[in-house]
Amino acid sequence: MKHPLHCIAIILSCTGIHGMTASAQVDLNPLPRNSSLSLPSELPGGQWQMENAFGSTRFNQPIGMAVAPGDNQSLFILERPGRIIKFDVPSGTGRTFMDISNRVNTGGEGGILGLAFHPDYQENRRFFVFYTLNASNGSGSGYHTRISRFERDPQNPDRAMGNSEAVLISQYNQASNHNGGDIHFGPDGYLYAALGDEGGANDTYQNSQRIDRDFFAGIIRIDVDEKPENLLPNPHPASVGNYRVPADNPYIGVEEFVNNPVNPDEIRTEFYAVGLRNPFRMSFDPLTGALYAGDVGQGAREEIDIIEKGGNYGWSYREGRIRGPRFSLFRDFIDPIYDYQHGSGPMEGRSVTGGVVYRGDRYPELFGKYVFSDYVSGNVWALESDGTQSRVTAGNIVRGMQNISGFGYDPTNGDILAARLNNGVIVRLTRQENTGSETIPHLLSQTGAFSDLSTLTPETGVYPYELNHPFWSDGAGKQRWFALPENSGEIAFESSRPFPRGSVWIKHFEMEMEAGNPESRRRLETRFIVKTADHVYGLTYRWNDQQTDAELVPEDGLTETLEIQRDGETVQQPWTYPSRSACLFCHSRPSGGVLGFSPHQLDRMVSWLDGEPVNQIDLLENGGMITPSEANHPKPSHLAVSMDDPDASTAAKVATYLHVNCAPCHQPGGPAVGTWDARITTPLWQKNILGADLVRTEVPGETALVEPGAPDASALLNRISTRGPRQMPPVASHRIDQQAVDLLREWITSPAVTTLDLPEQSWESWFRENFQTAPDGWSQASGDGDDDNTPEILEYLLDTDPNDPESGWTFSTSATSQSIRFEFPAIPQRGLNLTIQSSTSPSGPWELKTLVPDPLAPTIHEVETAESDRVFFRIVLSQPDY
């Protein structure tokens, strides 16, 4: 009996099956560059200064300030001797909120030092105070640092009840300095408190590297709501009660610390981070949730730290980045993101005061920067950091502002405020405009973008472009253009800084005033993103009522209400014209500053040049706008798709939606709370989205970011289904994207989500376990250390041994004159793609048959063949696309 000729090849791929988008050949001369745009190369700057925020109003040793959730009018000012002033910012008047001066000890560096309002303060009336006093308890008699809970008077919102005190922690101190004292609620709803090393010099009391002793030299995190899933603290005389310990605090159950054994029952499980000398002022970035702290040094260095869970910052083995008084070779210390030496120069000082990250609307060049000061030298700096690299922006420096003891925000507009302890005033950081700098055109007609505004005809060198899927903008219609300046280089998408300086992107918005009637369209705004030497800046122009021109929107933006006829009734819909700072919210550094102009979005057919349909990327390459590269065409699994494409899968649409609407913030280094990755290039199993713990549960029944099979328990769906403080995306939208809501609800209940079996170990942990070294991101994913033709990433997903060539993936075949039978082993249900490709020629074309692997039993597949057939097979196992 004759057998058909079968040739079988195995392809194990870490990137999946892919190809380029089909495109007609485009033969063009270079497209002309632009010379008409008249936008400044950089935003006009100015001189920074700090001026009295509230005129001649004086306070008694103001040492800090806080804002209560739900109150955008009041600033609560801490007076060191023991009073809290509730100050009404619009009227410029204040009154005593609480006075506990009769119990406060202001000796040394003491006083009332910290204030934090419970996230649900408007409902439960609770707030927390850190202060020093004389007391006696099991931890000692004399000078104490204390954290207590108080309540607002239920009958009077302007007065707190001093007799409502409930003590949480009251710790005896042998010295009266290095008290720390700042307290804040984190995004997770827990209370964080900064603790000094008890005082003295050279870590006199040897607290800095101890977690099994007292409450000193670190940051603690406690649960003041006493949730049942959290733990009781280990017994200690200073631990009075009224709190529990979050079950995921980092030192619970450890048996070794800094190479020394410790008893888990004696650990202060409240610790979140350790190794700090005197963390004087810390704050959470209101956007990213990063916790910054200024740690006061001893004789040589001052430092700024980003506090990580379980982090050890080195004191007293180190001071800043240099050796400390008790130097040790222990390696697991976290470096400060910035430190500076002692001295009186413009980049020096003697006692750091930790600051705050600016997220207001008035000063775009300050957006995302951490403003802090030195108490002695009076220098005020703006620090730019992505969490790993930092630099001081010298242009934002203010000198001569001694005695700054704390920073905060104006609740009415987000301005940065600072308390000057010995001067008795609250000061505001402001900018005085420079004269003679480049000016911003006041009218759209003056920008040089359009030769005819009535038809929106672009100037020479300003070209339209189209996206596969746009960002949701409350149903507005949009048009887009871009321009590269004369004598600039091409765009190189594979470069880390791909856009030439002076490149401009333009987006125009129109809204139907009668839904469904294109004739009722009204021009709303035209926005610009301009590439600078360092990043980007944004401008917005609002169209006038006559629709003849558009006027530059104020720096801090504006909002108006549109009246739209929808479903037979008039609907009032807010429309926000973004501030220049708000532009940087999405156009952040991790996103590259420019969002839609990417291969994932541009790889599509367009007809904007001579009406001939061509691939947009090919058109731009041949026109000399982007550097020719195969990488410019993403594989289909990384291509954004239209939500209306009937051939696109639900998974592809979800991947596109998340990439466009979420990835500007939710990606490594991005400005968002949480660690999930929304980029379209990140497969679903890598996104850290399915079953991922929530930073804070705010809706009853929510259990995870995406809870497979349970839409109502999925925070991601809930947040795109609402408008208001919890909405996502958080800016530029006042109307729910119902199509997206329906799409995500369908996806969460689909088999692609409900049957996915995520690896128990992370890729990093698995790689470290098998190769005794940490991976360099995903660069080793395609490696094959045991030469079994199975890439490391598939060894990881298949649970095979990457160091044993006999452990790789294989399958068996058997043939008859009528068929060939394939038997594939059980494959974990991790979205792996198993494809059988067949052809009568080794060069194709290939017919594809995609199989769904069985995670519990072998997968059998039989292919019928004729006796005379000459058949070639390719078996492709690849990692998941989404």
Side-chain angles (χ1 to χ4, degrees), residues 35 79 383 504 599 621 645 650 687 690 692 700 760 818:
S35 60
E79 292 185 331
L383 181 69
V504 174
E621 285 182 348
D645 184 352
T650 299
K687 289 184 187 294
L690 298 183
E760 294 182 2
Q818 287 82 32

Side-chain angles (χ1 to χ4, degrees), residues 369-504:
K369 295 179 180 178
Y370 177 74
V371 176
F372 67 102
S373 71
D374 189 274
Y375 185 86
V376 176
S377 71
N379 293 325
V380 179
W381 300 282
L383 181 69
E384 187 169 34
S385 173
D386 63 2
T388 57
Q389 295 182 343
S390 306
R391 62 190 179 90
V392 166
T393 307
N396 290 340
I397 195 171
V398 175
R399 303 195 66 184
M401 278 291 125
Q402 288 83 5
N403 307 320
I404 288 181
S405 54
F407 286 86
Y409 301 106
D410 184 328
T412 67
N413 62 9
D415 280 0
I416 288 179
L417 304 175
R420 299 188 71 187
L421 181 67
N422 296 335
N423 301 74
V425 297
I426 305 297
V427 292
R428 181 188 305 272
L429 183 63
T430 63
R431 183 186 63 209
Q432 184 178 8
E433 298 291 345
N434 286 338
T435 58
S437 59
E438 291 182 89
T439 58
I440 301 172
H442 182 68
L443 297 174
L444 179 61
S445 58
Q446 298 167 346
T447 63
F450 299 99
S451 59
D452 187 342
L453 278 186
S454 65
T455 58
L456 292 180
T457 302
E459 284 281 6
T460 300
V462 179
Y463 300 102
Y465 68 97
E466 298 176 15
L467 306 181
N468 285 318
H469 179 66
F471 184 87
W472 170 250
S473 297
D474 287 357
K478 290 175 278 192
Q479 293 175 263
R480 298 169 181 81
W481 301 265
F482 80 101
L484 299 187
E486 288 185 311
N487 303 316
S488 71
E490 299 173 333
I491 294 171
F493 282 126
E494 61 272 20
S495 169
S496 59
R497 293 184 178 273
F499 304 116
R501 182 181 183 182
S503 302
V504 174

